Amino acid sequence: MVDRDSKRAQPLSYFGQLKDKSRKTFHINFNSAWESQVEEEPETASTSMMSNRTPTNAGNSQAGNNHPSIETAADITQRFIDDSWLRAKESCKQLKYSRRQQQRNKTVQPRSGWKTVRLFVSSTFHDFQAERDLLVKKVFPDLKRWCFDQKIHFVEIDLRWGVPQGADAEVALRTCLGELERCYSDNEFPFFLNMHSERIGWLPVSAQVPKSIREEFDWIDGLSITEMEVLHGAIRSKNPNAFFLVRHPSFLQTVPADKRNFYQDAMPLASYKTIKFREVVDSFFGEDQKVTYYARYEGQDSTGYPQLTGYQDLLARQVLEFFKKRIQAHYPLGERDESENVSEWEKLTEMHESFMSNEARAIGKLPVWDKQIADLMKYVEDPTSDVPYLLKAKSGSGKSSCLSTFITRVRSMLPDTKVFCHFVGAVPGSIDYHQLVRRIALFLGECVDGIESLESIIQSLCRKLSSNRDQNYLIVIDAYNQLTEPSVTWLPYPLSPQVKVVITARPESGVTELIQQTYPKPLLSKELIPIDESGKREMVSAILGNYNKKLDAKQMDVLLRKESSSSYYWLSLACEELRIYGHFEKLTEKVETLPDDLVDLQMDILKRLESEQPREELLVATVCLLLVSRSGLLEIELLELLAEPPNLLPRALREGRYDDKLPFKVWSEIMRDLRSFVKSMGDPSEGRLKVYHATFSMAVRKLYFEDLGGAVATENFKWFHGKLADYFKTKSTFERRLEEYPYHLAFLGRIQELSHFLCEWQTIKSYYHPRFAKHLSHLWSAVDSEYATMEKVYVEKVISTLSAKNHEEKISAVDLLKLANICFQNGRYIGCDKIIQTIEEAEHTMSELIDFDDSQTFTAEMKYVKAKSTEKSAQMKNVLALAEDDIVTQRVETLLLSALDSLRKLESLESKRKVGELENRMGMFHIRKMFALECSPGKLDEFAEANCRERAVEWVMRAQNTFKAIGDQIGVADTFTSLAVCSKDAEDKWDYFEKAEKIIGKAGGSTEDAAIGRLYMNLGIMNELKGFLSEAKEYYRKYLLNSRQLFGEYHPETRRAKEAIEKLAN
């Protein structure tokens, strides 16, 4: 690019052609030592540049002389400078500029849609390198974030580089002034920021300014390019959006003599030109549009550039305040009518739509995704497709951009299709599986308010997705692998022909495999079509072109030769690093040295951010703490964790001297640098932060842990886990303690602390779930994979609770039974029986110690747990022993019947579900009894077998009717599995299994219910018995996956699944 600073001799080497009153033409060499160098030359019409007028500086003219005195070159130059600005002011009177000035009084209407604001930065380059870096790296990111919240896309125009090397003056001039015209076109009045001090910038010679530039932009000879920017972008339109930062010349006193030429031109009259420029600016703009700031010399930076300091905070604050005020005045966002009562769900939808719009904006109009979008459109328009479209895409491949562009195209081409979008991780709360399900339900018109049961919402949702015939729907979910529970429970099979679902996920995350294994039928699975060579060039040109920057052919080739340029995310980050790079002369070297790996590039960015942070240790601590956290950290937690520990004084003396939290100003600077990599993930009002991109986590892990060596990495991990464990032990709310504290204890191997925490009543009640306390089970497996420790401490807890003389507050009787049920859920049936026995033995004294909210509920719950445990214990016995022990079988049946009788007296939905469960268990107990008798010679005749099957089917059908009555589709499917086991006829068995699979498909079966694993297990057994070993292996594998996801690696069900696979393999 023709750099306005690269021609350092040129600002005052302009050969102006001037006329004096005697109409003689002079060549004035501004490069001279300002001695008189006046040479006469015959006048020609072509050499005339300015009208004949009296010199503004009379030089040495004497009163009474009839002819002008001899003027020095300095006199003529000053006169020419003044005359240039006179002509500049005259140009403002032209009709086109008068019309622009009249727009200042135009009434601004509030808006509802998105707008784009372009802020043009004007200054000489080298002497304002530090200020421009501050703006681009610190100030503009804050302004951009603020604009985004105002539904405004913010683009800064920093032209330190952008036009390829070797470009002529016309290209350079058209780039600068043309960009200003673009700002007029987009924003009526450009958002314009000028910085000036003691340099005047590049002053093109007359011959360098072509006719087209003169006519198009009304070029004024004698003005530098920076002055022309101010004239065209601010003065001619009396631009209310123009802001001027004036560096006070006193800073020169602090600059060493050998460095001053960096900040000022050496020629004496350069000072006159800068003074004249300031006078003109002052005459057009009031104090509300100008700020004078002071600075001082601080030495050189790592690249050798002199640096100034002492101005950063003032400059940043003034720029932010001015442009926030002007943007708000220019593009006021219309306020909602209070009567609209916008819900939180609608606000979330707006956030997802904003993210989608922003992703599609940069390259949405380019054909880089055309091939992939064509394939997606084919799926959307296919009336025969009844399964979701699973788009597998590696981290950084650009799937979010592709989907955003796809959604935009669908809305344009298929306006009758209603489109739902959910970008996991991009919007607060979006990683929450429950939030996703509720958002989809609301989108489909289902009511979710007041419904706590996710299962009820899912079943309603599945019915809608499978039976809809009224409206075309497209549901698009990006980054499914980042969900807290990447389940497909809500997805039925088959989908209605009017419903299409597109899901993206990273194949390396394992979620794509999970989705394909748990969905009833194979999905339409595709790999993301990568961007080709031409697409990459278009993408780079579009991203940089948005900031009026452009790589030359060599730089583009070097960039795209890197293997990582095939990664959309790498290319985006690389362009961003180049965009903010301020040294044009070193740009090619910068392109060459960009790391050819996505993780390595992000490591380089981290190193750069460290070097630019005055408190780099806080930045490092932030990313490391977020990396090791289980579910992200709240902003308030990070502020407390990062606060310097005030160890010098006791608490009484610390008050008023130290903050317990990091100052928010320091924190905002850290977040500004990390905003592209750290996102708000939890509830929007919660402020939970988490690393957004998987590869950034890898970069943090590699830079601050793994690359330091195994022992150091381990020590660093322990240190940060210990920091969080200690914090959540004492300083957090209990809800956050549940999420983080035990996880860090498990990592650190602090087993005794973990056991103690898992035994607290508040912990037990919080983690407990009547079907399966998943989190509690998984944490206990970290203490003891056999759950023996859990069994022991829970039995002891019940005994100590019932034997205690007094309690500060009574314990709920039902809570004691929860401990028995937890033991049952984890296969510790002896412990379950022991707890129930202890409760039964102390029942007559329990009223003094235990709170009976509802004795009927307590009795029913105790019988329910006891019946389940006894039945399961009998089931685990050797079948021959079971056949011989009539007392056991009779006791099991008696307990089941007693529990059913008690539960039927209750009205709650959960009690009815338990009735269905026990009825199903009763049926299966009779069929297992039949199998036991079958294995004992002489015990089972034809009549006994028929009787067992008949009783089993009778109980299972009762269970099926119970589940149907309460709308529990998974329960209904489980009864069909039981009927398949009960049936003697092979065809009937297959028919029942098929019905179970179909219902589970429509109900959105997932790994989150044990009934699904039971179906897979029995299908595995059935196929194995029939000799279909490959099919059996596949079902056993699904059974294992279900058990791992639901119960954990060490649960008895998981071990049973492993044994089935190993047996089949042998």
Side-chain angles (χ1 to χ4, degrees):
M1 175 176 180
V2 181
D3 188 333
R4 66 189 70 189
D5 289 309
S6 65
K7 300 176 178 290
R8 211 166 275 181
Q10 279 205 3
L12 296 177
S13 65
Y14 177 83
F15 284 85
Q17 294 179 320
L18 310 176
K19 292 181 180 179
D20 71 357
K21 286 184 70 174
S22 63
R23 300 188 60 80
K24 292 182 179 179
T25 300
F26 301 93
H27 290 303
I28 308 300
N29 187 342
F30 289 6
N31 256 352
S32 69
W34 305 102
E35 297 175 354
S36 178
Q37 295 186 16
V38 184
E39 303 172 6
E40 290 191 17
E41 178 178 286
E43 178 185 357
T44 63
S46 62
T47 61
S48 179
M49 284 185 56
M50 52 187 291
S51 60
N52 182 19
R53 57 170 56 95
T54 303
T56 54
N57 286 332
N60 298 320
S61 60
Q62 299 175 6
N65 285 355
N66 294 325
H67 61 275
S69 61
I70 300 299
E71 291 182 302
T72 66
D75 295 330
I76 297 174
T77 301
Q78 286 189 15
R79 177 160 54 87
F80 181 58
I81 291 170
D82 292 340
D83 193 77
S84 296
W85 278 111
L86 282 174
R87 285 181 286 117
K89 291 178 181 180
E90 284 294 318
S91 73
C92 298
K93 299 177 182 178
Q94 294 184 42
L95 180 60
K96 58 182 177 181
Y97 300 128
S98 297
R99 286 175 175 170
R100 281 181 176 173
Q101 294 167 19
Q102 292 169 6
Q103 292 295 313
R104 289 170 58 100
N105 302 320
K106 179 181 176 182
T107 302
V108 180
Q109 297 296 326
R111 62 185 170 82
S112 58
W114 282 81
K115 289 289 185 182
T116 296
V117 159
R118 305 176 68 81
L119 195 159
F120 188 96
V121 182
S122 167
S123 76
T124 46
F125 289 157
H126 289 175
D127 54 329
F128 281 97
Q129 179 80 15
E131 283 92 334
R132 282 180 176 259
D133 278 348
L134 176 70
L135 291 171
V136 170
K137 295 179 181 179
K138 306 296 182 184
V139 180
F140 290 158
D142 285 347
L143 188 55
K144 186 173 186 177
R145 179 67 181 176
W146 178 86
C147 283
F148 188 82
D149 293 338
Q150 304 297 311
K151 299 180 77 171
I152 289 173
H153 299 298
F154 175 82
V155 180
E156 77 269 16
I157 309 301
D158 173 19
L159 295 177
R160 280 179 289 182
W161 69 269
V163 178
Q165 264 182 323
D168 58 20
E170 179 178 3
V171 173
L173 296 174
R174 187 170 295 282
T175 296
C176 298
L177 299 178
E179 185 57 43
L180 275 172
E181 276 300 310
R182 184 180 177 187
C183 292
Y184 273 113
S185 175
D186 288 356
N187 303 129
E188 294 183 307
F189 288 98
F191 291 90
F192 182 87
L193 175 61
N194 171 262
M195 298 177 288
H196 58 269
S197 185
E198 306 307 305
R199 297 194 64 220
I200 64 173
W202 172 39
L203 184 63
V205 298
S206 179
Q208 287 180 306
V209 184
K211 182 179 178 182
S212 60
I213 296 290
R214 291 181 180 278
E215 293 178 350
E216 186 174 350
F217 301 106
D218 296 303
W219 183 270
I220 304 297
D221 283 312
L223 297 189
S224 70
I225 180 59
T226 304
E227 291 169 322
M228 271 302 301
E229 287 173 352
V230 172
L231 174 65
H232 197 66
I235 292 175
R236 281 172 172 166
S237 60
K238 296 183 180 178
N239 186 357
N241 298 334
F243 192 50
F244 296 88
L245 295 172
V246 185
R247 188 200 293 145
H248 195 277
S250 61
F251 81 95
L252 285 171
Q253 299 172 11
T254 68
V255 179
D258 61 340
K259 303 293 183 185
R260 287 181 186 172
N261 65 339
F262 192 85
Y263 293 105
Q264 64 179 162
D265 291 304
M267 299 74 163
L269 280 195
S271 175
Y272 179 79
K273 190 162 178 60
T274 58
I275 292 171
K276 185 67 180 180
F277 175 63
R278 283 196 286 271
E279 288 177 357
V280 172
V281 170
D282 289 343
S283 69
F284 277 90
F285 299 98
E287 294 303 314
D288 59 329
Q289 291 185 252
K290 302 192 299 286
V291 168
T292 299
Y293 66 95
Y294 294 81
R296 63 181 183 275
Y297 182 75
E298 196 185 37
Q300 296 179 329
D301 65 10
S302 58
T303 63
Y305 274 83
Q307 291 290 294
L308 301 178
T309 190
Y311 63 89
Q312 289 90 339
D313 289 346
L314 172 67
L315 188 146
R317 185 176 67 256
Q318 294 284 359
V319 170
L320 279 174
E321 288 178 359
F322 178 83
F323 285 108
K324 282 182 181 180
K325 180 180 177 181
R326 288 310 308 157
I327 290 170
Q328 210 161 33
H330 203 72
Y331 291 125
L333 186 61
E335 295 184 2
R336 293 181 184 271
D337 187 342
E338 292 183 3
S339 63
E340 291 182 18
N341 292 325
V342 180
S343 69
E344 291 300 319
W345 299 108
E346 289 173 309
K347 292 177 183 178
L348 285 173
T349 297
E350 286 185 1
M351 284 189 266
H352 282 282
E353 290 290 331
S354 296
F355 177 83
M356 183 275 296
S357 173
N358 203 47
E359 282 290 306
R361 185 178 65 93
I363 62 170
K365 296 181 180 179
L366 297 177
V368 294
W369 296 118
D370 279 1
K371 292 180 182 179
Q372 183 61 67
I373 290 174
D375 194 61
L376 287 165
M377 291 296 294
K378 181 180 177 182
Y379 162 73
V380 171
E381 295 175 322
D382 181 5
T384 65
S385 180
D386 58 2
V387 296
Y389 186 115
L390 176 60
L391 184 61
K392 296 183 287 186
K394 292 183 178 179
S395 181
S397 59
K399 60 185 184 298
S400 300
S401 170
C402 177
L403 282 192
S404 299
T405 309
F406 163 61
I407 292 169
T408 304
R409 301 266 183 97
V410 169
R411 285 174 171 165
S412 173
M413 298 171 65
L414 304 173
D416 293 334
T417 299
K418 291 184 67 175
V419 183
F420 168 91
C421 62
H422 189 95
F423 293 88
V424 182
V427 169
S430 56
I431 61 172
D432 184 0
Y433 173 70
H434 292 214
Q435 186 197 92
L436 169 64
V437 171
R438 289 175 181 270
R439 283 197 67 228
I440 297 172
L442 284 165
F443 168 73
L444 295 174
E446 298 293 305
C447 179
V448 299
D449 292 338
I451 302 177
E452 295 296 328
S453 171
L454 186 68
E455 289 81 3
S456 299
I457 296 174
I458 287 173
Q459 292 191 18
S460 175
L461 186 58
C462 288
R463 285 193 296 271
K464 182 86 172 186
L465 291 173
S466 61
S467 62
N468 166 69
R469 294 293 185 275
D470 303 326
Q471 170 73 51
N472 291 329
Y473 291 112
L474 171 62
I475 296 172
V476 180
I477 305 171
D478 182 38
Y480 208 83
N481 52 278
Q482 292 191 49
L483 284 170
T484 52
E485 302 171 41
S487 167
V488 289
T489 305
W490 62 277
L491 268 175
Y493 174 81
L495 291 171
S496 161
Q498 277 72 45
V499 174
K500 305 298 177 188
V501 178
V502 175
I503 294 173
T504 71
R506 290 192 299 116
E508 64 267 29
S509 69
V511 172
T512 54
E513 182 183 3
L514 173 67
I515 294 171
Q516 293 180 97
Q517 288 174 352
T518 54
Y519 192 70
K521 296 293 179 181
L523 283 76
L524 184 59
S525 181
K526 301 287 187 76
E527 295 278 352
L528 180 69
I529 300 172
I531 303 176
D532 58 20
E533 184 73 16
S534 63
K536 291 191 288 185
R537 290 181 182 274
E538 290 169 346
M539 178 180 165
V540 173
S541 299
I543 293 175
L544 294 179
N546 199 39
Y547 300 91
N548 215 327
K549 296 181 183 295
K550 181 180 179 182
L551 298 177
D552 63 30
K554 177 184 176 182
Q555 292 163 346
M556 180 72 82
D557 288 342
V558 170
L559 182 69
L560 298 187
R561 275 201 302 268
K562 295 178 184 288
E563 291 184 10
S564 294
S565 65
S566 59
S567 164
Y568 176 93
Y569 190 43
W570 184 92
L571 213 50
S572 300
L573 288 177
C575 287
E576 180 65 13
E577 285 298 286
L578 295 175
R579 181 184 74 79
I580 65 175
Y581 189 67
H583 303 294
F584 171 70
E585 65 278 7
K586 298 180 180 180
L587 183 61
T588 300
E589 180 185 347
K590 177 68 175 177
V591 175
E592 292 171 342
T593 56
L594 284 171
D596 192 4
D597 178 82
L598 180 54
V599 173
D600 289 344
L601 177 59
Q602 290 176 102
M603 289 171 64
D604 257 26
I605 294 172
L606 273 169
K607 293 173 185 176
R608 174 178 64 78
L609 294 176
E610 272 193 69
S611 68
E612 295 170 356
Q613 265 289 342
R615 300 282 301 276
E616 71 274 9
E617 74 280 1
L618 297 176
L619 184 142
V620 175
T622 298
V623 294
C624 290
L625 288 167
L626 288 172
L627 176 72
V628 304
S629 68
R630 177 178 177 267
S631 54
L633 296 171
L634 304 185
E635 195 168 15
I636 186 64
E637 291 167 350
L638 279 165
L639 289 172
E640 291 175 351
L641 284 161
L642 296 174
E644 288 185 295
N647 296 325
L648 298 177
L649 298 171
R651 176 169 293 277
L653 297 179
R654 288 207 305 266
E655 292 182 6
R657 291 186 171 90
Y658 294 97
D659 287 329
D660 291 330
K661 296 189 291 291
L662 189 71
F664 198 81
K665 178 181 179 296
V666 179
W667 170 243
S668 65
E669 292 174 357
I670 296 169
M671 274 306 298
R672 177 182 56 222
D673 287 347
L674 294 175
R675 192 164 284 140
S676 297
F677 308 105
V678 173
K679 301 286 185 180
S680 180
M681 295 291 195
D683 185 283
S685 62
E686 188 182 35
R688 184 180 308 216
L689 301 174
K690 196 171 184 180
V691 173
Y692 173 55
H693 208 283
T695 54
F696 188 72
S697 292
M698 295 166 63
V700 174
R701 182 182 295 271
K702 188 176 179 183
L703 182 61
Y704 301 119
F705 297 91
E706 295 171 355
D707 281 3
L708 302 178
V712 176
T714 300
E715 186 62 29
N716 284 359
F717 273 120
K718 286 183 176 179
W719 194 91
F720 283 108
H721 277 287
K723 181 87 171 172
L724 290 179
D726 294 341
Y727 174 83
F728 285 106
K729 181 178 181 179
T730 58
K731 292 187 178 181
S732 68
T733 63
F734 184 75
E735 289 75 14
R736 287 291 290 136
R737 189 172 301 130
L738 279 174
E739 289 184 286
E740 293 286 340
Y741 180 54
Y743 163 75
H744 298 292
L745 293 179
F747 179 90
L748 295 165
R750 286 155 59 170
I751 301 304
Q752 188 172 355
E753 285 182 68
L754 179 58
S755 298
H756 179 76
F757 180 72
L758 297 178
C759 283
E760 294 179 7
W761 278 117
Q762 195 175 6
T763 304
I764 294 166
K765 287 187 281 189
S766 299
Y767 280 139
Y768 180 76
H769 191 281
R771 296 193 188 184
F772 186 72
K774 179 179 178 179
H775 295 298
L776 198 60
S777 177
H778 290 190
L779 287 167
W780 272 115
S781 69
V783 176
D784 170 17
S785 62
E786 298 291 327
Y787 301 100
T789 305
M790 178 199 72
E791 179 183 46
K792 178 184 176 184
V793 297
Y794 281 173
V795 169
E796 290 175 350
K797 187 173 185 68
V798 172
I799 294 172
S800 63
T801 299
L802 294 175
S803 61
K805 297 299 181 184
N806 53 68
H807 295 290
E808 292 184 5
E809 60 181 56
K810 288 188 175 183
I811 306 298
S812 168
V814 176
D815 285 343
L816 289 175
L817 289 175
K818 287 177 180 177
L819 298 182
N821 200 25
I822 292 168
C823 288
F824 169 81
Q825 292 172 353
N826 290 282
R828 307 305 298 191
Y829 307 119
I830 294 175
C832 177
D833 292 341
K834 179 66 174 175
I835 290 173
I836 293 173
Q837 181 184 349
T838 303
I839 293 173
E840 288 178 328
E841 290 173 354
E843 193 170 359
H844 63 284
T845 61
M846 285 174 61
S847 59
E848 300 176 7
L849 308 171
I850 307 299
D851 182 18
F852 287 91
D853 295 328
D854 186 340
S855 60
Q856 192 177 35
T857 300
F858 168 73
T859 301
E861 183 70 18
M862 187 167 72
K863 289 182 178 181
Y864 164 72
V865 176
K866 185 176 182 179
K868 284 198 308 178
S869 181
T870 305
E871 186 268 336
K872 195 71 174 179
S873 297
Q875 179 186 334
M876 299 299 289
K877 289 185 177 182
N878 182 282
V879 290
L880 292 176
L882 183 61
E884 296 293 332
D885 196 345
D886 290 334
I887 296 176
V888 171
T889 57
Q890 186 176 355
R891 182 168 180 263
V892 169
E893 190 168 0
T894 301
L895 288 172
L896 286 169
L897 288 170
S898 178
L900 281 167
D901 183 60
S902 295
L903 287 167
R904 286 184 180 126
K905 295 176 182 178
L906 305 178
E907 294 297 324
S908 70
L909 185 67
E910 182 61 25
S911 65
K912 291 176 181 178
R913 189 198 65 78
K914 290 175 179 177
V915 167
E917 178 192 346
L918 291 187
E919 288 172 338
N920 200 22
R921 282 182 178 276
M922 180 71 89
M924 291 313 298
F925 176 74
H926 283 294
I927 208 69
R928 276 191 289 270
K929 180 180 177 182
M930 184 197 73
F931 290 152
L933 293 172
E934 192 176 36
C935 295
S936 182
K939 286 270 187 176
L940 185 69
D941 56 24
E942 186 176 339
F943 175 79
E945 179 185 355
N947 184 57
C948 284
R949 289 187 189 278
E950 183 179 344
R951 294 193 68 188
V953 170
E954 179 185 350
W955 277 107
V956 172
M957 289 306 298
R958 286 185 186 180
Q960 189 172 110
N961 291 332
T962 300
F963 286 130
K964 284 181 178 179
I966 61 175
D968 188 341
Q969 293 301 306
I970 298 297
V972 173
D974 196 31
T975 61
F976 275 113
T977 300
S978 297
L979 288 173
V981 175
C982 294
S983 178
K984 190 174 183 178
D985 183 78
E987 288 187 10
D988 287 345
K989 283 180 178 290
W990 289 121
D991 183 54
Y992 286 133
F993 279 135
E994 185 178 343
K995 286 181 178 178
E997 278 197 288
K998 187 175 181 179
I999 293 172
I1000 285 172
K1002 286 189 175 181
S1006 75
T1007 56
E1008 294 304 309
D1009 199 297
I1012 314 302
R1014 180 169 173 255
L1015 170 63
Y1016 293 148
M1017 177 194 70
N1018 281 287
L1019 278 168
I1021 293 171
M1022 182 76 171
N1023 279 279
E1024 184 180 1
L1025 291 173
K1026 293 295 183 180
F1028 306 142
L1029 300 185
S1030 60
E1031 290 84 353
K1033 181 179 179 181
E1034 178 63 19
Y1035 279 115
Y1036 284 145
R1037 188 178 62 79
K1038 288 186 174 183
Y1039 173 39
L1040 176 61
L1041 178 66
N1042 174 275
S1043 300
R1044 277 177 171 158
Q1045 290 291 318
L1046 181 58
F1047 302 116
E1049 190 67 33
Y1050 306 105
H1051 193 272
E1053 284 293 332
T1054 308
R1055 290 199 294 268
R1056 185 180 179 187
K1058 290 178 181 178
E1059 289 168 2
I1061 293 174
E1062 290 170 2
K1063 177 185 173 184
L1064 200 63
N1066 296 330

